[in-house]
Amino acid sequence: TIITGEHKERYSNKYKHYEEAGVLLQELLEGTEYIVNLVVLDGVSKCTAIWKYDKRPYNGAPFVCYSKKLMALGDEDCLADILEYTQGVITSLGFCNGALHAEVMYVPNRGPVLVEMNCRLHGGNAQWVVPAEICMGYSQLSVFMDAYMNHGEGQFRSVPAEPTTKFAGCYQVKMRSHVEGPLEDVIPSQLVRIQSLKSYHSHWFTVKPGDMILKTRDMPSVPGEVTLIHEDNDQLESDYKTLNDILHEGIFLVRTASTFAIPSTLGVSAPDNLSVNSAAASALIPTI
């Protein structure tokens, strides 16, 4: 359930269409959620990627997105069922040409349940394109463009119907914040730790110094993302755990009282006007 007034006040500046938000009711599904991306050409479909969500309680919210992980079909027994189910949905809809982005919940003792089906490419500011191409050799975007521009004579024809093989593994990890207020900066030492992970590929932020950062409770309040890619799954899983530990310690500083002219590098700081959700910044703040 969405509490309309609170929801609009919280996100109207970022998501303008929320001005017309109402109340949404959905069945509560207890299971694991997956993304299924496909391209369909003349009724022939190619599944270009499956991603698995990691969602957990956070900041009082029952399920906050920690990450999505790129999957190959053989990684889990349920994936073949999910893909077969999604293909059935496509057939029922009579969808013959274009890109599809489905989200499916796999519920124990019940099986796959459709959460949403979108006649479009995967969203997320297209941050998944490069990782998919590194890990699989193609992406939903590249396959779709071949279908659109070349009637599928190139990549659409050559890629497998199902994502059976990966050259490397990938996590796209949502940054999270325990703190709320005007953002002063990111803690440099924490960012260095993230960039030093062996599987680190890239990162991006949705906020900048001076913006209001919110406690992360849902997708609109996610302040950024880190992409991890590595050929060794053990290394990837180890780095994913370490990254979650760093994010739990805290990576953001916010201004809470009086204002100071503080360099964005955080070379100096003022302990009475900044708030951080961890002691991780203690070594950063010099005596001035």
Side-chain angles (χ1 to χ4, degrees):
T1 302
I2 298 172
I3 302 173
T4 309
E6 176 187 346
H7 199 65
K8 288 200 294 185
E9 180 181 358
R10 190 173 177 85
Y11 300 121
S12 60
N13 289 334
K14 187 173 182 181
Y15 292 85
K16 298 299 184 183
H17 58 277
Y18 281 7
E19 292 295 332
E20 303 301 323
V23 175
L24 174 66
L25 298 177
Q26 291 182 297
E27 178 186 3
L28 176 62
L29 299 172
E30 295 185 2
T32 304
E33 190 173 357
Y34 296 83
I35 294 169
V36 183
N37 292 328
L38 305 103
V39 176
V40 185
L41 177 62
D42 295 336
V44 177
S45 64
K46 297 289 183 84
C47 177
T48 57
I50 301 173
W51 298 82
K52 179 182 181 180
Y53 278 122
D54 178 6
K55 296 185 178 183
R56 313 181 197 180
Y58 195 77
N59 279 336
F63 38 82
V64 168
C65 184
Y66 273 46
S67 70
K68 62 179 184 287
K69 180 182 181 181
L70 186 63
M71 309 293 286
L73 194 63
D75 289 345
E76 294 180 357
D77 292 340
C78 68
L79 298 183
D81 291 342
I82 290 172
L83 187 52
E84 181 181 1
Y85 172 87
T86 306
Q87 296 284 9
V89 174
I90 295 172
T91 301
S92 298
L93 291 173
F95 190 86
C96 295
N97 289 284
L100 288 168
H101 171 74
E103 305 215 358
V104 178
M105 185 79 77
Y106 193 84
V107 181
N109 302 316
R110 181 175 173 182
V113 180
L114 184 67
V115 175
E116 58 180 85
M117 176 67 84
N118 303 281
C119 301
R120 59 166 173 80
L121 292 166
H122 188 168
N125 296 314
Q127 296 297 318
W128 46 271
V129 173
V130 171
E133 292 180 352
I134 290 172
C135 295
M136 303 184 71
Y138 57 89
S139 68
Q140 186 188 31
L141 178 61
S142 65
V143 175
F144 174 69
M145 290 305 296
D146 179 63
Y148 186 76
M149 302 293 292
N150 195 34
H151 201 70
E153 293 299 319
Q155 202 170 62
F156 183 88
R157 176 179 290 181
S158 65
V159 301
E162 303 166 343
T164 54
T165 304
K166 293 182 300 184
F167 304 121
C170 174
Y171 274 104
Q172 294 204 286
V173 186
K174 303 300 182 186
M175 295 182 185
R176 304 180 297 276
S177 176
H178 281 302
V179 295
E180 194 166 89
L183 177 64
E184 190 62 47
D185 216 326
V186 176
I187 302 170
S189 60
Q190 294 291 71
L191 187 57
V192 168
R193 290 176 64 195
I194 292 172
Q195 293 174 310
S196 297
L197 295 170
K198 291 183 179 180
S199 62
Y200 170 83
H201 175 267
S202 58
H203 73 274
W204 58 283
F205 295 101
T206 64
V207 291
K208 62 183 183 299
D211 288 349
M212 181 67 68
I213 189 171
L214 304 172
K215 290 183 180 180
T216 308
R217 296 188 179 96
D218 51 21
M219 292 297 280
S221 52
V222 167
E225 186 173 84
V226 179
T227 295
L228 304 177
I229 298 174
H230 206 279
E231 298 87 351
D232 185 335
N233 187 67
D234 290 341
Q235 183 65 59
L236 182 67
E237 294 294 337
S238 175
D239 286 355
Y240 180 50
K241 181 181 182 303
T242 300
L243 176 55
N244 276 316
D245 290 342
I246 294 170
L247 294 173
H248 182 72
E249 291 169 11
I251 66 171
F252 296 104
L253 292 167
V254 297
R255 191 177 303 181
T256 58
S258 57
T259 58
F260 291 81
I262 301 173
S264 62
T265 58
L266 294 181
V268 294
S269 192
D272 61 342
N273 87 312
L274 296 179
S275 172
V276 62
N277 53 331
S278 145
S282 59
L284 175 71
I285 301 175
T287 302
I288 57 175

